[in-house]
Amino acid sequence: IVITSDQPPANLEGIDERLKSRFTKGLVLNIDPPDLETSKAILKSKILAQNLNPNDFDEEVLNLLATKFSKNVRELEGTLLRITFYAGSVKPTKHITIGYANDVIRPLMEAQEDKDALTENKIITVVANYYSLTPSQLTGKIRTSRVALARHIAMYLDRELLGTPLIKIGQAFGGRDHSTVLNGIAKVEKALKEDVDME
């Protein structure tokens, strides 16, 4: 059995102590983001999977993609797909230079820079402003329906956009526990599916 989590077993909240003990007894490993060479090897395998030749890409292009888009394989693959689509259909070329790649993926890099500039405090401030609340109301103890909805949305965005661990989100929102955060996020996810106004 393989179980993944953003926390070590001992830090998991809302889980029976016997299960935590069993998880700790197993082999616990960290999965770190791939290094540059591993990212490039993954990238080359994705290029080959598209029946393309890695030599048709400048080494600088491979380095750029492996450095900027290697947080997860889907992101790396999506960026590569954009380049190969442009090279095959929009601005046809046989060889991908660094200049060509920069032109094609500039919007992705700008979006990533915006995402990197995003912080937990910015999310809390923007959501609070949208609902005409103060950030302290969002992170405080008030439980009126309007404040609770705004709080849940901020928690959801914190998790979705920044990938913040549930325990850390709980700490930012007045020391709430893991299960409370999870419940708030689940409510927003459900509302997004059922309520068109939430989109």
Side-chain angles (χ1 to χ4, degrees), residues 163-193:
T164 308
L166 297 173
I167 290 173
K168 190 171 181 298
I169 295 172
Q171 290 167 350
F173 287 85
R176 287 171 168 81
D177 66 26
H178 168 276
S179 58
T180 302
V181 174
L182 202 54
N183 186 45
I185 291 171
K187 284 180 180 176
V188 175
E189 288 172 342
K190 185 177 182 213
L192 283 169
K193 290 175 186 170

Side-chain angles (χ1 to χ4, degrees), residues 87-99:
S89 304
V90 181
K91 291 163 65 177
T93 184
K94 292 281 187 189
H95 190 82
I96 311 297
T97 64
I98 189 67

Side-chain angles (χ1 to χ4, degrees), residues 138-153:
L138 229 58
T139 58
K141 300 294 181 191
I142 300 171
R143 298 178 68 178
T144 62
S145 59
R146 190 166 67 103
V147 173
L149 173 64
R151 183 180 295 131
H152 293 160
I153 288 171

Side-chain angles (χ1 to χ4, degrees), residues 75-139:
E75 183 181 46
L76 193 61
E77 199 167 13
T79 308
L80 174 64
L81 188 61
R82 182 182 175 94
I83 291 173
T84 55
F85 173 75
Y86 269 73
S89 304
V90 181
K91 291 163 65 177
T93 184
K94 292 281 187 189
H95 190 82
I96 311 297
T97 64
I98 189 67
Y100 184 91
N102 273 325
D103 286 345
V104 172
I105 64 173
R106 183 173 290 118
L108 299 178
M109 291 177 68
E110 287 170 357
Q112 192 177 64
E113 284 164 10
D114 288 345
K115 181 181 173 184
D116 290 343
L118 191 62
T119 65
E120 195 168 56
N121 285 336
K122 281 185 184 174
I123 289 172
I124 291 170
T125 302
V126 168
V127 173
N129 288 341
Y130 183 84
Y131 284 94
S132 301
L133 301 167
T134 64
S136 60
Q137 285 176 305
L138 229 58
T139 58

Side-chain angles (χ1 to χ4, degrees), residues 50-69:
Q50 291 189 33
N51 295 319
L52 300 171
N53 186 341
N55 293 328
D56 289 338
F57 293 75
D58 280 354
E59 193 69 19
E60 288 175 293
V61 175
L62 299 178
N63 286 334
L64 173 69
L65 298 183
T67 302
K68 292 281 187 186
F69 299 97

